[in-house]
Amino acid sequence: MPYPNSLRSRFIITLSIMLVLVMGILVFILHQLMIPNLISEERQSAHVYANALQKGIDQNARALGDMAYQWASWISTREFMEGRLPDFPQTHITPAVFSDHDADMMVITNINDGVVWVAGRNPSNGRFTSCATPEGPCQWTIEQVRQIQRQLPMADTIPRIGITPGFALLSTWPIARQDTPVQSGKLTLVRFLPGQWQLDAENSASTLTLSATRQSTDIVNGETRVDIDSTSDDSLRLTLARDSATPGYQVLMTTRLDRQGLRNGIERFNLTMLGAMGLLLGLMMLMLWIFRAIVLRPIAELSRYAVALRQSPGEHLESPPPWLQARGDELGIMAREFQTLIRELNDRNAHLKALTNRDALTGLGNRRLLDRQLPRILSLTHRLDRPVALIMIDVDHFKLYNDFYGHPEGDQCLKTIAETLSDIFQRESDLVARIGGEEFVIVLPDFDLDRAMDIARGVCTAMEAQCLPHEPSPTHKYVTISAGVAISSPEHPLAGEALIKRADEALYQVKKSSRNAVGCASPG
Ligand SMILES: Nc1nc2c(ncn2[C@@H]2O[C@H](COP(=O)(O)OP(=O)(O)OP(=O)(O)O)[C@@H](O)[C@H]2O)c(=O)[nH]1
């Protein structure tokens, strides 16, 4: 699990923010651009549909109007009005007239708007009646006739819908000769309209629900006002308002339009949006995977390595993993630089380590090396059931030497002693160290007391044989050394400190009595 500040977490957080941003932008586009655009398109098509409906209404009105005009301007109608053709209704106003012309009622009035003849099909029983007054068999026409009579004084020739009782399309024309304005009456043709008026039998969306409301002043003379409201997400209400034949009222023709187009548009966009989001998510996962493989994993490995390096207890530091060093990119360069750095550090560590174990003047081991190695040599050699000899050497009258020849010459003398010791003790297992000013220690594994005494004497002889003049010495004319020897045997093993102490005591004893001599500590 990546910790919150890890590169991986940050990358995931950044990608998530981007995803949310993209989603926000898409939702913004949907609401601010797509939906208004779709609504505008929907409105445009609703207006186109409203125009088609208007044409349908106009066609119906024109057909009725044309027929009313023909009847009104027909010579026989005029002759009837003038009393010259009294049997005109019986001979001409027949049921066939109404069937053929898709009309329901005809009202002929005189110049005083009094009824002269009324005929038509009773909508309640379908029976045809034809009478001189709206009475008797034509009683069913009485309400319509009254309405028509009421509106006749201001009637023009534009066909309109009347609203009481029930809805009906009305067209009124003056009965007159075409070449003269003299009227002999008016002829009104009526078609009853159902409350649900289907303009086109094959198109259910062409069904108009008729209603009436108080007249709006802005609609006159057959003009149509179109209103479109969205009543719900599923449908639009399309209202066509016209002035009616009934004074003070207008007719509202309403239909509902399905909003399938809008729904489809939004659904299409939502699908596209979902697809885009899915694609984006997939891309982001792929990017994360690639980023993880190319960047995160090597960086995590480098950071793990750096932590391990800091916690590394040893003097030798491990190199970065080889696969990281093998990379050709910046991370590979970094790993290789690490590797170079580590190598240099290891070299320096080794050098420093060597320095800390060496005596700077003579190049021999120092007290530190002796303290570290002596216990190890003792334990290893005793494990092999062999003794360890320790010789402690001190330069005789070295203070006098220094005082006489000077400190640099004293240093040179110490170096000569070191070289002499190095020449004598060449075994890998021998340890030669300078542990103080003019004090040297030699540790000899697998040496018993006799051999150690012999070789210590040999050292004294070899040193004297160097013939380094020592004028102020009260005992010898050359530089000499004295030695103390001690043994640690498997039978009587000694700790390093104790062994050194014993050799030192033996040396002290020698120094007390003589110089250029070897003394030994009694074993055990
Ligand atoms: N030149 C030089 N002198 C050193 C160094 N270290 C210690 N000395 C000198 O070694 C001398 C040791 O003198 P002492 O401890 O009195 O012993 P000694 O004069 O050798 O007398 P004995 O040991 O009794 O024979 C001192 O004068 C130190 O200054 C060194 O690194 N270089």
Side-chain angles (χ1 to χ4, degrees):
M1 186 68 193
Y3 55 96
N5 281 334
S6 70
L7 281 176
R8 187 166 165 219
S9 303
R10 287 179 187 198
F11 190 71
I12 290 173
I13 290 169
T14 309
L15 287 186
S16 307
I17 291 172
M18 275 172 65
L19 201 67
V20 170
L21 269 178
V22 170
M23 269 180 73
I25 290 169
L26 287 176
V27 169
F28 178 82
I29 290 174
L30 174 69
H31 285 277
Q32 299 300 317
L33 301 174
M34 288 296 295
I35 292 182
N37 201 30
L38 285 170
I39 287 177
S40 155
E41 278 174 19
E42 183 188 52
R43 294 219 160 223
Q44 275 175 17
S45 35
H47 274 286
V48 170
Y49 192 69
N51 284 341
L53 288 176
Q54 277 185 66
K55 271 187 195 156
I57 296 165
D58 289 342
Q59 241 170 8
N60 275 274
R62 214 177 306 120
L64 191 76
D66 288 351
M67 200 173 67
Y69 167 73
Q70 281 169 20
W71 275 85
S73 53
W74 194 16
I75 188 164
S76 301
T77 313
R78 229 171 33 244
E79 283 175 357
F80 167 67
M81 292 305 283
E82 289 162 4
R84 287 186 282 140
L85 201 60
D87 59 347
F88 168 78
Q90 289 79 12
T91 53
H92 292 87
I93 306 174
T94 61
V97 167
F98 293 91
S99 321
D100 292 350
H101 301 300
D102 197 12
D104 295 303
M105 197 171 93
M106 183 188 288
V107 181
I108 299 173
T109 48
N110 58 25
I111 48 168
N112 299 319
D113 298 335
V115 175
V116 177
W117 201 266
V118 59
R121 281 184 305 207
N122 186 342
S124 59
N125 55 23
R127 222 174 282 148
F128 174 78
T129 57
S130 182
C131 323
T133 56
E135 291 162 353
C138 293
Q139 180 66 35
W140 61 271
T141 66
I142 187 76
E143 271 306 314
Q144 279 288 351
V145 168
R146 275 190 197 139
Q147 286 295 326
I148 290 167
Q149 280 178 310
R150 224 170 281 146
Q151 67 208 38
L152 277 178
M154 50 271 194
D156 53 23
T157 56
I158 298 170
R160 288 188 179 80
I161 295 172
I163 56 172
T164 48
F167 295 97
L169 191 59
L170 309 172
S171 178
T172 301
W173 279 87
I175 302 169
R177 281 165 60 127
Q178 284 176 353
D179 53 353
T180 164
V182 180
Q183 295 183 14
S184 50
K186 286 173 183 160
L187 183 141
T188 302
L189 213 51
V190 179
R191 187 199 300 166
F192 299 129
L193 298 176
Q196 302 284 318
W197 182 19
Q198 189 166 354
L199 286 174
D200 178 355
E202 285 167 16
N203 178 8
S204 61
S206 70
T207 302
L208 298 171
T209 303
L210 301 181
S211 62
T213 177
R214 299 299 297 178
Q215 173 72 51
S216 151
T217 48
D218 58 344
I219 306 171
V220 288
N221 294 336
E223 283 172 4
T224 307
R225 192 186 67 216
V226 178
D227 287 320
I228 299 163
D229 336 272
S230 49
T231 49
S232 72
D233 287 346
D234 294 329
S235 65
L236 275 185
R237 188 174 57 201
L238 176 65
T239 306
L240 305 175
R242 284 194 176 204
D243 61 334
S244 78
T246 307
Y249 285 89
Q250 66 182 12
V251 184
L252 301 179
M253 291 162 278
T254 309
T255 186
R256 287 192 185 275
L257 299 179
D258 190 35
R259 306 186 81 178
Q260 189 67 37
L262 179 71
R263 283 201 305 275
N264 285 350
I266 293 175
E267 207 168 294
R268 260 199 316 276
F269 185 83
N270 281 343
L271 277 177
T272 315
M273 199 163 81
L274 274 179
M277 293 307 297
L279 197 70
L280 204 66
L281 201 66
L283 270 175
M284 285 180 173
M285 300 304 285
L286 187 70
M287 273 170 68
L288 180 63
W289 185 78
I290 293 172
F291 185 64
R292 189 170 168 271
I294 294 180
V295 182
L296 293 182
R297 192 166 152 250
I299 287 184
E301 193 61 42
L302 265 180
S303 95
R304 255 198 304 278
Y305 167 72
V307 171
L309 200 63
R310 190 175 54 78
Q311 293 169 346
S312 165
E315 287 147 349
H316 184 79
L317 305 169
E318 292 299 325
S319 301
W323 67 266
L324 256 180
Q325 295 184 48
R327 288 172 66 104
D329 54 17
E330 290 85 343
L331 290 168
I333 294 173
M334 204 195 286
R336 287 195 292 280
E337 285 301 313
F338 247 114
Q339 154 76 355
T340 313
L341 202 67
I342 293 306
R343 206 169 38 227
E344 285 175 11
L345 276 176
N346 280 337
D347 290 350
R348 276 182 214 176
N349 278 348
H351 184 62
L352 282 174
K353 193 179 162 196
L355 282 181
T356 54
N357 290 330
R358 292 281 139 203
D359 172 43
L361 180 68
T362 61
L364 295 176
N366 58 12
R367 177 69 197 230
R368 190 178 135 89
L369 183 71
L370 177 73
D371 288 345
R372 283 178 60 184
Q373 296 284 34
L374 184 56
R376 203 173 55 84
I377 294 171
L378 283 169
S379 117
L380 276 174
T381 316
H382 290 335
R383 219 178 292 155
L384 297 170
D385 209 20
R386 306 303 303 159
V388 175
L390 189 140
I391 305 170
M392 183 166 283
I393 290 172
D394 188 279
V395 187
D396 296 332
H397 306 298
F398 194 55
K399 184 175 181 324
L400 295 177
Y401 187 91
N402 258 338
D403 293 347
F404 187 83
Y405 295 103
H407 207 267
E409 276 303 312
D411 280 355
Q412 197 49 54
C413 173
L414 291 173
K415 280 186 192 172
T416 308
I417 295 167
E419 280 162 18
T420 308
L421 293 176
S422 297
D423 287 346
I424 295 169
F425 301 101
Q426 291 191 343
R427 286 193 317 171
E428 184 97 0
S429 55
D430 297 344
L431 172 62
V432 183
R434 179 179 169 233
I435 62 164
E438 24 65 280
E439 279 184 342
F440 296 84
V441 164
I442 301 121
V443 180
L444 300 167
D446 197 14
F447 261 66
D448 58 19
L449 189 59
D450 293 339
R451 273 182 78 199
M453 288 293 285
D454 284 348
I455 205 158
R457 283 186 204 102
V459 173
C460 290
T461 310
M463 200 53 234
E464 195 176 7
Q466 293 287 333
C467 298
L468 290 177
H470 194 341
E471 274 190 49
S473 170
T475 52
H476 299 83
K477 59 185 215 177
Y478 299 120
V479 171
T480 59
I481 58 162
S482 295
V485 179
I487 287 287
S488 171
S489 65
E491 300 82 37
H492 303 287
L494 291 175
E497 280 299 316
L499 186 60
I500 293 169
K501 195 168 170 242
R502 283 218 178 171
D504 196 32
E505 281 165 5
L507 176 64
Y508 179 71
Q509 291 305 323
V510 169
K511 286 261 181 181
K512 263 206 310 192
S513 54
S514 62
R515 295 285 192 286
N516 195 21
V518 177
C520 75
S522 54

